[in-house]
């Protein structure tokens, strides 16, 4: 795996917290974000299933004020952190696209293929 798939260091996120990233995967730019909650990481594409818009208006801010759900800043949809499923807002039942990633050397890296997953450090 090449270094350009680096997402972030494990210490770049608070728990709970979130962080956006952009990686170049064979010439295709992948925009995504990581959420850390209770020591477990989750990765999603930064694309709301409602309109296809990015979810964040503030850099690295993908969680609601309670830090309990992923929030789309455009029309206030809320998503379950573990599953990416929309639980309220204009697109109930729709899901964020999970991204595959792995943990190596205290950092997270995007995986181009394979099953979706979460990682406990
Ligand atoms: S674009 Fe995300 S809720 Fe409408």
């Amino acid at each position: 795996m090449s270094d350009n798939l680096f997402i972030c260091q494990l210490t770049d996120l608070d728990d709970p917290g979130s962080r956006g990233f952009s990686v170049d995967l064979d010439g295709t730019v992948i925009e995504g974000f990581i959420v850390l909650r209770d020591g477990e990481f989750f990765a999603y594409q930064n694309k709301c299933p409602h309109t296809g818009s990015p979810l964040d208006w503030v850099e690295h801010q993908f969680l609601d004020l309670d830090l309990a759900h992923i929030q789309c800043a455009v029309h206030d949809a809320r998503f379950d952190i573990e599953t990416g499923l929309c639980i309220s807002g204009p697109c109930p039942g729709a899901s964020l696209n999970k991204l595959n990633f792995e943990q190596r050397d205290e950092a997270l890296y995007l995986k181009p293929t394979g099953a979706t997953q979460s990682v406990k450090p």
Side-chain angles (χ1 to χ4, degrees), residues 95-114:
S95 287
L96 297 167
N97 293 324
K98 273 196 172 184
L99 296 174
N100 305 308
F101 64 100
E102 66 179 1
Q103 178 183 336
R104 280 191 287 122
D105 303 327
E106 301 302 312
L108 298 178
Y109 295 84
L110 190 69
K111 289 175 68 174
T113 59

Side-chain angles (χ1 to χ4, degrees), residues 48 50-51 53 72 74-77 90:
C48 183
H50 181 217
T51 68
S53 168
C72 179
V74 182
H75 303 113
D76 202 28

Side-chain angles (χ1 to χ4, degrees), residues 9-94:
Q9 299 290 336
L10 300 184
T11 54
D12 287 340
L13 287 94
D14 293 327
D15 186 355
S18 60
R19 183 176 183 86
F21 64 87
S22 177
V23 297
D24 185 327
L25 180 58
D26 297 329
T28 300
V29 176
I30 306 287
E31 304 282 348
F33 62 96
I34 294 279
V35 175
L36 173 60
R37 187 179 69 180
D38 297 332
E40 191 168 7
F41 293 95
F42 304 89
Y44 294 100
Q45 190 175 9
N46 188 8
K47 185 176 179 182
C48 183
H50 181 217
T51 68
S53 168
L55 283 80
D56 57 321
W57 280 351
V58 177
E59 187 178 26
H60 302 310
Q61 187 172 314
F62 292 88
L63 298 179
D64 61 9
L65 291 177
D66 295 334
L67 305 176
H69 297 99
I70 296 165
Q71 178 178 20
C72 179
V74 182
H75 303 113
D76 202 28
R78 305 294 170 101
F79 301 88
D80 181 79
I81 290 174
E82 292 188 15
T83 65
L85 185 69
C86 179
I87 56 169
S88 70
C91 51

